[in-house]
Amino acid sequence: MKIILLSDDAIRLEPIPGPMTIEALSAEQSYSPFHMLASGLATCTFSVMYAWATHASLGVDDLAVEVRWTFAEDPHRVDTMNVTFEWPSLPPKRHGAARRVAEMCTIHATLVHPPTITVELSEGPGASGEHAHVDNASGVPSEAMHSESTL
């Protein structure tokens, strides 16, 4: 498979034989946590569609999945995600079924019904004891403020 970074808010997954690769349209573009989130959704969607297609004796060589997202503020987060798929060889009578199958992806279900998330500090082996500079207004380390896209 190949994941293509289309922009800062879009990826495309294509079924290319061989090991998974991640490619960008420009050298300046980096694979951000948002691309990772979208890649998980695209890969899961592709996987359930692939399994269904195999069972239905449908070819998937021309199936591609794209995920685009928007952001919201207060707090800064992904607000919407849009999954589209291209499948030129899919018979028209199978379009509705393919869409329903795509919605069966576990990552899709997880995002629609979000899990409870906890964050804890581990004081176990490897704890460095170093402290980051914390922004007094938010209580968040200053280098963490919206830095996820610069990794």
Side-chain angles (χ1 to χ4, degrees), residues 1-5 11-13 20-23 31 39:
M1 279 195 271
K2 175 170 65 172
I3 295 171
I4 304 165
L5 310 183
I11 61 108
R12 179 179 175 89
L13 184 141
M20 179 179 278
T21 61
I22 300 170
E23 300 178 9
Y31 190 55
S39 295

Side-chain angles (χ1 to χ4, degrees), residues 4-12 23-26 29-32 34-35 38 67-69 71:
I4 304 165
L5 310 183
L6 299 175
S7 66
D8 287 341
D9 58 4
I11 61 108
R12 179 179 175 89
E23 300 178 9
L25 299 179
S26 74
Q29 198 169 23
S30 64
Y31 190 55
S32 75
F34 305 112
H35 291 111
V67 179
R68 296 178 183 276
W69 58 95
F71 292 100

Side-chain angles (χ1 to χ4, degrees), residues 8 30-35 71 76 145-151:
D8 287 341
S30 64
Y31 190 55
S32 75
F34 305 112
H35 291 111
F71 292 100
H76 182 66
M145 302 284 286
H146 300 286
S147 65
E148 63 275 348
S149 63
T150 60
L151 295 176

Side-chain angles (χ1 to χ4, degrees), residues 46-121:
F46 181 88
S47 296
V48 298
M49 295 178 85
Y50 181 90
W52 172 71
T54 300
H55 181 72
S57 299
L58 300 168
V60 292
D61 292 342
D62 60 342
L63 171 61
V65 177
E66 288 191 12
V67 179
R68 296 178 183 276
W69 58 95
T70 62
F71 292 100
E73 297 301 327
D74 297 320
H76 182 66
R77 66 195 181 283
V78 173
D79 184 41
T80 63
M81 298 185 87
N82 179 267
V83 178
T84 58
F85 63 92
E86 295 175 12
W87 198 348
S89 67
L90 183 68
K93 67 181 181 180
R94 300 279 191 144
H95 288 186
R99 190 178 116 331
R100 289 189 299 276
V101 167
E103 291 176 344
M104 294 173 67
C105 156
T106 304
I107 301 296
H108 177 112
T110 300
L111 293 170
V112 170
H113 306 280
T116 300
I117 299 173
T118 60
V119 178
E120 298 176 8
L121 173 64

